[in-house]
């Protein structure tokens, strides 16, 4: 607010040079909200997991008699 | 003496209670006694279908083959605002990557993932291989058949004595004349059987021929319903679905259009819009949705479809408008709530985002992602008491290592926010321990390393992050700044250029580039 007079006055050096340097700072990657999964996607992933499990089971079963 | 229930009735009861395995077992017994029992046969077909049923509207997996060998595109470079493939061409003032992280396809991350989200087309084969399809699988499927192959394996294995129906021996013409059998048979072929045949060969060509088989079945069925003079809309929709799976989009469009002429059904609009989206005609799809809304005012799925297209075209403001419309009709729509919530979070209103996520919690959504989001919102809305307990729950509920890594990564942000850099360091390290390719964690770790004065370590982390996620501008920019500090101007320049490619409006990158150009000019 320009009309309100601040009690602090800015200090500008009268002598010497005033130099400002804009130093580039490193940036962090931003926090990541995790997207919720749709029902279909959850079902697909569950079915995929089950399929993988079933394959593993069968592979184990087929290995055992040969040993 | 116990009175036994009629087995077929019991099977029906199991089917209604969605206990498909028991239902199928009983039907098998009935069929073993009397192989020509059509009721039991039909019921078993339905039970087997339901086991692997996925909503066809939602499934939209674009494999590498479809992406790279696309014949239906008209122009290589579409005009701005008319294509889903150029995510950068939004007019709606989408969020910049400075505030909202990007997915690998160059879109801002959404609040909700479906099987078809992030279907943006990568420019190169290399990128195509790297782009994740779903939340957890890191690779795209090699072709549209890939997913179905894997799903089929399980159903195959559960039947030790081979498939239930031997399709090659089936006289389809005979079945197509029995409308009450042909529909269940079709659904069985479409959802269940196409995988099983495929799984031994794992070959796209086989898959196609298999689907052609499916289309043949359909053709025959369509002929059989000729007594209705092709007036059965249901079969036309199914025919369209088959064409869609085969990649014959124009034919699919024709079928859906003709089905709509017979009967206005919401599903048909959704399928047709899917065809247009696949053909990269978002404007046509939008018009179609609006046309659908004229017939079905306030239909939630149509409104959601519009919102999704706007979101994919990076027009987040109008997407939010439509999601709000969705909520007016259905105030428990998870997708709409999640998308509006994440949008508020990334437009600097975490308090409002918090309300949306709390609403989801009230509705009974209970998973790792939601608690993670709640934790973040609480922290940025200055409700510190809830922050860490939310993250604790998120960690407990995490189902996979990738989720665990993401939660630790976000806890690292909280730690950075409260100035506990040691904790932050440990969190990012943990994120990397759980998920070795977490590019964001590498980048943030590099920043922390540099604060400790370990330049070489920091540089190595930044290079790793940049190679893992070339779509992010942060590692490129940081690498550029770092290289400039240690006097390696050439690599600083190349990194700055990459940063500019990823995020052209970034002011600091521009300044850095200008500075470097001055350096080079004075040489």
């Amino acid at each position: 607010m320009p009309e309100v007079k601040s009690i602090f006055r800015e200090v500008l050096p009268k002598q010497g040079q005033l130099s400002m340097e804009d130093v580039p700072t490193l940036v962090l990657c931003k926090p990541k909200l995790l997207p919720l999964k749709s029902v279909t996607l959850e079902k697909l992933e569950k079915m995929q997991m089950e399929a993988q499990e079933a394959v593993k089971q069968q592979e184990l079963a087929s290995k055992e008699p040969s040993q | 003496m116990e009175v036994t229930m009629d087995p077929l009735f019991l099977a029906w009861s199991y089917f209604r209670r969605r206990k498909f395995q028991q239902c199928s077992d009983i039907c098998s017994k009935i069929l073993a006694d009397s192989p020509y029992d059509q009721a039991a046969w039909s019921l078993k077909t339905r039970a087997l279908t339901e086991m692997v049923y996925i909503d066809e509207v939602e499934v939209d997996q674009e494999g590498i083959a479809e992406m790279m060998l696309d014949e239906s595109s008209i122009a290589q470079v579409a005009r701005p605002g008319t294509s889903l493939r150029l995510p950068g061409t939004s007019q709606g003032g989408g969020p910049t990557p400075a505030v909202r992280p990007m997915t690998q396809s160059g879109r801002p991350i959404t609040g909700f993932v479906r099987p078809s989200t992030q279907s943006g087309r990568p420019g190169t084969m290399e990128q195509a291989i790297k782009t994740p399809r779903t939340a957890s699988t890191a690779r795209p499927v090699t072709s549209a058949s890939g997913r179905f192959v894997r799903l089929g394996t399980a159903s195959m294995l559960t039947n030790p004595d081979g498939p239930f129906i031997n399709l090659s021996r089936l006289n389809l013409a005979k079945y197509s004349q029995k409308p009450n059998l042909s529909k269940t048979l079709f659904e069985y072929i479409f959802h269940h059987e196409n995988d099983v045949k495929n799984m031994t060969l794992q070959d796209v060509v086989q898959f196609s021929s298999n689907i052609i088989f499916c289309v043949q079945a359909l053709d025959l069925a369509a002929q059989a319903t000729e007594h209705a003079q092709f007036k059965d809309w249901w079969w036309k929709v199914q025919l369209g679905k088959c064409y869609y799976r085969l990649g014959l989009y124009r034919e699919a469009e024709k079928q859906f259009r003709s089905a709509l002429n017979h009967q206005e059904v919401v599903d048909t609009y959704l399928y047709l819009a899917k065809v247009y989206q696949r053909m990269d005609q978002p404007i046509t799809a939008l018009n179609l949705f609006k046309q659908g809304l004229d017939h079905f005012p306030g239909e939630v799925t149509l409104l959601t479809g519009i919102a999704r297209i706007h979101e994919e075209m990076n027009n987040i403001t109008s997407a939010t408008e439509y999601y709000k419309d969705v909520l007016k009709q259905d105030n428990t729509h998870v997708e709409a709530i999640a998308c509006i919530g994440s949008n508020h979070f990334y437009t600097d209103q975490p308090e409002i985002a918090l309300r949306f996520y709390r609403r989801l919690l009230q509705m009974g959504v209970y998973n790792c992602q939601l608690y993670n989001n709640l934790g973040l919102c609480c922290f940025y809305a200055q409700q510190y008491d809830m922050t860490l307990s939310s993250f604790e729950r998120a960690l407990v509920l995490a189902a996979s290592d990738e989720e665990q890594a993401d939660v630790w990564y976000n806890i690292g942000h909280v730690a950075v926010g409260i100035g506990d850099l040691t904790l932050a360091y440990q969190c990012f390290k943990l994120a990397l321990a759980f998920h070795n390719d977490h590019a964001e964690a590498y980048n943030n770790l590099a920043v922390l390393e540099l604060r400790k004065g370990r330049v070489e370590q920091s540089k190595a982390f930044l290079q790793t992050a940049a190679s893992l996620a070339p779509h992010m501008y942060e590692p490129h920019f940081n690498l550029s700044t770092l290289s400039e500090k240690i006097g390696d101007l050439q690599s600083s320049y190349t990194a700055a250029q990459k940063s500019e490619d990823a995020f052209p409006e970034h002011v600091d990158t521009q300044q850095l580039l200008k500075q470097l150009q001055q350096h080079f000019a004075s040489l």
Side-chain angles (χ1 to χ4, degrees), chain A residues 22 25-38 40-41 43-45 47-48 51 54-55 58, chain B residues 53-54 58 98 111-113 136 147 150 153 157 346 360 369 372-373 406 409-410 413 443-444 450 478:
Chain A
D22 193 14
T25 47
L26 300 188
V27 280
L28 289 172
C29 285
K30 305 303 166 292
K32 209 158 79 173
L33 283 185
L34 298 183
L36 302 176
K37 287 181 194 171
S38 74
T40 317
L41 187 59
K43 188 170 174 185
L44 269 175
E45 284 181 358
M47 278 159 58
Q48 228 170 341
V55 171
Q58 209 185 41
Chain B
Y53 180 80
I54 321 151
E58 289 284 312
F112 198 74
V113 276
S136 71
R147 172 89 79 172
R150 273 172 277 153
T153 321
L157 292 174
Y346 285 117
L360 282 179
Q369 286 88 0
N372 169 75
N373 297 353
D406 277 332
Y409 167 76
N410 286 325
H413 269 286
N443 175 63
N444 291 3
L450 195 63
N478 290 344

Side-chain angles (χ1 to χ4, degrees), chain B residues 413-425:
Chain B
H413 269 286
V414 174
V416 170
I418 57 175
D420 190 346
L421 293 186
T422 325
L423 177 63
Y425 189 83

